[in-house]
Amino acid sequence: MKQKAKKKTVSIITKLLGVILPVVMVIVVVLVGIAYSISKTAINSYSTSLLRTSVQNQVSEIEAWLNENLSALAAVKQNIETMDLSEEQLRQLLDGTYGYNDNYPQGIYLADMEGNLMKAEQSDKEESDPVHAVWFQEGLTRLNMGFTSAYMNNKGESVISASAIIEEDASALRIMSADLSLQRISIIVNSYIGMEGAQAFLVNHADDTILAHRDSTLISTKLETSSEPFMKDVAGKLKAGELDTAEIDGNLTAFEEIGGTQWILVSYIPTDIVYEEVYNVRNAMAVIGIISILLLALLIGRVVYVVIRPVKELTSVIEAMTEGDFTVRVKSRSRDEIGVMSHCVEKFVHTMRDMIASIHDVSGRLHIQADNSNDVSGQMFDASRLQSASMAELNETVEQLSVSVNEIADNATTLAMVVADTREDSVQVNERMRETVSVSEKGKSDMENVSRAMSSINESTLKLQEAIDKVGHASEEITDITNVIGNIAEETNLLSLNASIEAARAGEAGRGFAVVATQIGKLAQTSADSVHNIEQLINEIKMLVKDTVVQAEQSVTNIGSSSELVEDALRTFDTIFHNVESVSRLVNGMIEKVERVDEVASNVAAISQEQAASSQEILASSDTMVEQANHITGNSENVAGGARELTSSAEELAHQVEKFRIG
């Protein structure tokens, strides 16, 4: 029988690591994610606050710079308005402002409604149409000094102007103005950034013109015309009036209005810079988490190995037991549940080893007893066949006896009729002498035949009695054999019961042995039933044999009596034959003797009829005995087959037990 392929097993360490490590990895990932989220939120809040502080400081610096310039220009404007200066004095004043302040190096200049431009002598400012200039048009709208929108001067420079109306004479309206380079404002905007990595630019909210930027090519351009998505998104925020700090296109962006103007300072810093430390912390935590998981895996593997090493040893022991090897030894050193289990397995191994040894001994004894039973059943089968042959011979003898008895009955009936005729014709004896001689000769011959037949019947009866005695002895021997088989069946049944009990104790390992024990029990029960049937048949045969013996003895007695009467009749016929000549003188005596012969013949006929009936009964009994003998032969053959099957089962049991190794 081919062994089944072993299923692929998965170690407990693999299972535990497969369960614990994913959980630990998820926990580490969650913790890193939570820490990253918290850190990012904190860094975002801190960076937003720092960016707001930086932009506010920048706005303060810009406002201070603007106010400083406006204050200086306002003072000049006030002097012009309060001092009644002549044209020459006013020109000297304008010449004095040239180069006085680096913020407006061209100095101050004036223009009236006629388009007349008055400036410092050294100034190179030129204006073809001062009235329509930005600084003039916006200056007409205010009395106090204020900054105009950004525009390009005649030199192509981006500038803003501080301009206002000079209140000198209502009939002569003039505008005072001074140009400030946006490059100077860009320097201020980009110089006071308090947050490392941050950038800023200044926008005129009125027309979205860039007033100051690190990239000088963007100054005086519109936000919407920029090719950068960030600039376009900032323009959208400004149009929507959303000036709260927000993350725009990967940049943390803050907006701050500059007081007294329509300018808005936009300060921004890339989130990669803001979250750089967070990313570093996240990566460090991920590396630490991976290292921790690896160390934890090694620790778990080592701990589990130490814990389950007894389980692996116990598994090896159980695998060996499943293959029938009970020579293994179990080491139970710990006192935990595994130690208790190892101790129990050790006790089980000892118990199974003792039980298998006991079963092996029982199997050997069962095999020997099965062989003995097989031999006995063979002997019984041979005896039953011999008995069947003897009963067949007895049946033939009884049939011959029945034929002889029937012939005797016929002859006796004929004799009785002849005697009756003789008595009726005794008056005419003389006349029928010749007939009487003839009849006497025939009677003598018949009586001789009867004598020989009676001798043959006597011999057949003696043989029948001897055969019946043999049947009785054979029945006694069969009874002894059946007793031996019954004892064997009872002992086999007890052995089967003990084997079933031991197999039940063995559990799954003894299930196959329990089936074998059950089959042996069934065979033993079948043998016991067959023995019981044979005993019943033998008892019936004994009763029939006893009846046959009685009938045979009676037949022998009757045949003996008949033989004596036949011999007497023969002697009488001899006397009749020799004394025929004196018949006439002895007629009266002959009549009396004939009457006696008539009585004897009637008795012989009656006895012959009884013997014929008895022979028929003996023949029927003989047929029954032949059938019983054949039945005994069949049962003997069944017993022999059961014995052979018992031997085969014993060999199978021994083969099954040999699979277990107990040392």
Side-chain angles (χ1 to χ4, degrees), residues 237-495:
K237 288 282 188 179
L238 294 177
K239 285 184 178 180
E242 298 175 359
L243 302 181
D244 295 330
T245 303
E247 185 174 338
I248 303 175
D249 290 332
N251 295 285
L252 185 63
T253 308
F255 301 90
E256 189 70 24
E257 296 181 355
I258 298 176
T261 66
Q262 290 183 327
W263 299 351
I264 294 178
L265 180 64
V266 180
S267 181
Y268 63 96
I269 183 172
T271 54
D272 291 338
I273 297 175
V274 174
Y275 300 135
E276 181 179 4
E277 295 298 327
V278 178
Y279 295 153
N280 294 334
V281 172
R282 180 194 62 187
N283 296 334
M285 291 181 66
V287 173
I288 293 172
I290 293 172
I291 295 174
S292 300
I293 291 172
L294 294 176
L295 294 176
L296 182 61
L298 293 175
L299 179 61
I300 292 174
R302 182 59 184 171
V303 172
V304 172
Y305 172 77
V306 173
V307 172
I308 69 170
R309 183 171 57 184
V311 176
K312 294 181 67 175
E313 295 176 356
L314 191 60
T315 302
S316 301
V317 171
I318 294 174
E319 288 179 351
M321 287 192 298
T322 56
E323 295 176 356
D325 186 7
F326 284 89
T327 61
V328 294
R329 295 290 183 270
V330 182
K331 299 178 182 179
S332 56
R333 295 184 294 271
S334 60
R335 296 184 179 180
D336 53 9
E337 292 82 354
I338 298 175
V340 174
M341 183 168 60
S342 300
H343 183 67
C344 293
V345 171
E346 185 177 7
K347 290 178 64 179
F348 173 74
V349 170
H350 287 299
T351 302
M352 287 297 298
R353 191 181 295 130
D354 297 337
M355 185 180 70
I356 293 171
S358 177
I359 293 173
H360 191 274
D361 296 338
V362 171
S363 174
R365 292 198 301 271
L366 180 61
H367 192 275
I368 294 172
Q369 292 172 359
D371 292 337
N372 294 334
S373 177
N374 193 13
D375 295 337
V376 171
S377 64
Q379 295 175 3
M380 185 175 70
F381 180 68
D382 295 336
S384 64
R385 285 193 300 176
L386 180 60
Q387 180 187 3
S388 178
S390 299
M391 292 304 299
E393 293 178 358
L394 177 62
N395 192 19
E396 293 177 358
T397 303
V398 171
E399 287 180 356
Q400 294 176 1
L401 177 62
S402 177
V403 172
S404 299
V405 170
N406 288 329
E407 291 178 355
I408 291 172
D410 293 338
N411 293 328
T413 302
T414 303
L415 177 61
M417 293 173 64
V418 170
V419 171
D421 292 337
T422 302
R423 187 181 61 182
E424 292 176 355
D425 296 336
S426 61
V427 179
Q428 300 175 2
V429 172
N430 289 327
E431 299 174 358
R432 303 295 178 102
M433 185 60 66
R434 293 179 181 178
E435 185 178 353
T436 302
V437 172
S438 178
V439 171
S440 63
E441 288 178 354
K442 184 179 180 181
K444 181 180 179 181
S445 177
D446 291 337
M447 290 306 294
E448 288 177 354
N449 292 330
V450 170
S451 178
R452 287 193 297 273
M454 292 301 293
S455 298
S456 178
I457 290 171
N458 192 12
E459 292 177 359
S460 298
T461 304
L462 291 175
K463 290 181 180 180
L464 174 62
Q465 189 174 6
E466 291 177 0
I468 291 171
D469 291 337
K470 289 181 180 180
V471 171
H473 291 302
S475 299
E476 292 178 357
E477 291 179 358
I478 291 173
T479 302
D480 295 336
I481 292 171
T482 55
N483 290 331
V484 172
I485 294 174
N487 293 331
I488 292 172
E490 290 178 358
E491 186 174 359
T492 303
N493 198 4
L494 291 175
L495 291 175

Side-chain angles (χ1 to χ4, degrees), residues 4-23:
K4 295 182 178 178
K6 293 185 178 179
K7 294 182 178 179
K8 187 177 181 180
T9 58
V10 181
S11 64
I12 298 177
I13 296 178
T14 304
K15 288 184 177 180
L16 290 176
L17 291 177
V19 173
I20 295 175
L21 289 183
V23 173

Side-chain angles (χ1 to χ4, degrees), residues 543-562:
M543 295 300 295
L544 294 173
V545 168
K546 288 181 180 179
D547 293 339
T548 305
V549 170
V550 173
Q551 294 292 333
E553 290 178 353
Q554 291 178 358
S555 298
V556 170
T557 302
N558 293 329
I559 290 170
S561 299
S562 299

Side-chain angles (χ1 to χ4, degrees), residues 126-158:
E126 295 180 358
E127 197 73 51
S128 60
D129 188 6
V131 175
H132 294 91
V134 174
W135 56 268
F136 191 91
Q137 292 295 323
E138 291 186 11
L140 289 174
T141 62
R142 52 179 171 262
L143 295 176
N144 296 321
M145 294 298 294
F147 291 101
T148 65
S149 301
Y151 63 95
M152 301 292 292
N153 60 12
N154 58 337
K155 295 181 180 180
E157 298 175 350
S158 298

